[in-house]
Amino acid sequence: MSMNPFCEIAIEEALRIKEAGLASEVVAVSMGPVQCVDTLRTGLAMGADRGIHVEATAPLYPLSVAKILKALVEVEKPGLLLLGKQAIDDDCNQTGQMVAGLLNWPQGTFASKVVIDKEKQEVTVDREVDGGLETLCLDLPAVITTDLRLNQPRYATLPNIMKAKSKPIKKFTPQKLNVNVKPDLEVVEVTEPPKRKAGILLSSVDELIDKLKNEAHVI
């Protein structure tokens, strides 16, 4: 229905890298049913040069997505792979790490700053960790997953939206890429959290203390 916000940040960063003269083109990739083309057009309207749509009707789990990306890397030979750190539907946060492992490429996850040295063929990544910031220096090619504070994605202007309609989108299928997308996970059950009891109004602080002590048992 719409682009994953973290992936939107990844596209913006790719566009900034190209605008700085550090990349020759930006290729946007999406996987899933035909409706994915609309999302790809959004990426093209932002400024990506071309798109790739891997059409798949079955649900795609992170490992399948990583395998498809690996196959596309072997076809396209990119110098840098930029992904959102996680999807906002399943929140898995696994695809970037998995594709880096499959490709045997260095990875910088949760990136809040990306600096490329074209001469040394290196990229410096500031990544957000629990204790603050960690800075990594990676040899290219590499995999980077983007965090919220990396940039503010641009809006697609009306002229660029019109131009995006004529930009090429190449079609693939998992079968054409020789990738088996048989699910490696099974959703056994999905349950709602228990409903919370309705709140009550208390008339005094003494009554609050009494309930915290005798009913909630927190004091």
Side-chain angles (χ1 to χ4, degrees):
M1 299 296 289
S2 64
M3 192 184 303
N4 176 39
F6 292 108
C7 293
E8 202 171 14
I9 291 167
I11 286 185
E12 175 64 29
E13 193 64 21
L15 294 173
R16 294 186 185 191
I17 290 169
K18 183 190 173 185
E19 289 164 357
L22 300 172
S24 57
E25 70 170 346
V26 175
V27 182
V29 178
S30 188
M31 306 171 198
V34 178
Q35 291 90 332
C36 287
V37 173
D38 294 333
T39 305
L40 276 175
R41 292 286 178 205
T42 301
L44 297 176
M46 289 174 66
D49 299 286
R50 57 190 176 91
I52 293 176
H53 175 214
V54 181
E55 188 169 352
T57 54
L60 293 175
Y61 293 101
L63 183 57
S64 298
V65 174
K67 288 177 179 178
I68 291 172
L69 285 174
K70 176 180 182 289
L72 288 174
V73 164
E74 292 168 353
V75 173
E76 294 287 333
K77 304 290 191 294
L80 181 64
L81 203 57
L82 281 161
L83 303 85
K85 71 171 185 177
Q86 67 192 72
I88 58 168
D89 48 8
D90 57 26
D91 281 328
C92 279
N93 179 23
Q94 296 172 345
T95 303
Q97 294 89 325
M98 285 178 170
V99 72
L102 292 171
L103 289 167
N104 198 27
W105 284 9
Q107 61 178 294
T109 56
F110 317 127
S112 60
K113 185 178 179 181
V114 175
V115 178
I116 292 179
D117 188 325
K118 197 171 183 179
E119 289 186 5
K120 293 183 179 179
Q121 283 293 291
E122 294 176 345
V123 57
T124 302
V125 178
D126 288 351
R127 60 187 303 267
E128 299 190 3
V129 295
D130 289 341
L133 289 177
E134 179 182 59
T135 301
L136 303 176
C137 185
L138 312 174
D139 292 328
L140 292 172
V143 177
I144 294 174
T145 69
T146 58
D147 213 334
L148 282 174
R149 278 163 285 278
L150 179 58
N151 61 51
Q152 178 66 43
R154 67 193 69 186
Y155 290 104
T157 62
L158 183 59
N160 286 337
I161 291 171
M162 300 306 293
K163 288 178 186 176
K165 294 179 179 180
S166 60
K167 289 184 178 180
I169 295 179
K170 194 171 184 180
K171 296 278 189 179
F172 285 97
T173 63
Q175 293 74 23
K176 188 175 180 180
L177 293 168
N178 294 316
V179 175
N180 182 3
V181 292
K182 181 181 178 182
D184 52 307
L185 298 173
E186 179 187 356
V187 178
V188 178
E189 187 179 11
V190 177
T191 57
E192 293 184 3
K195 291 185 178 180
R196 298 175 63 180
K197 293 181 180 179
I200 57 172
L201 292 174
L202 303 177
S203 58
S204 67
V205 173
D206 290 338
E207 189 180 357
L208 172 62
I209 293 173
D210 178 68
K211 287 189 176 294
L212 289 175
K213 182 183 292 185
N214 300 313
E215 291 185 18
H217 304 292
V218 293
I219 60 173

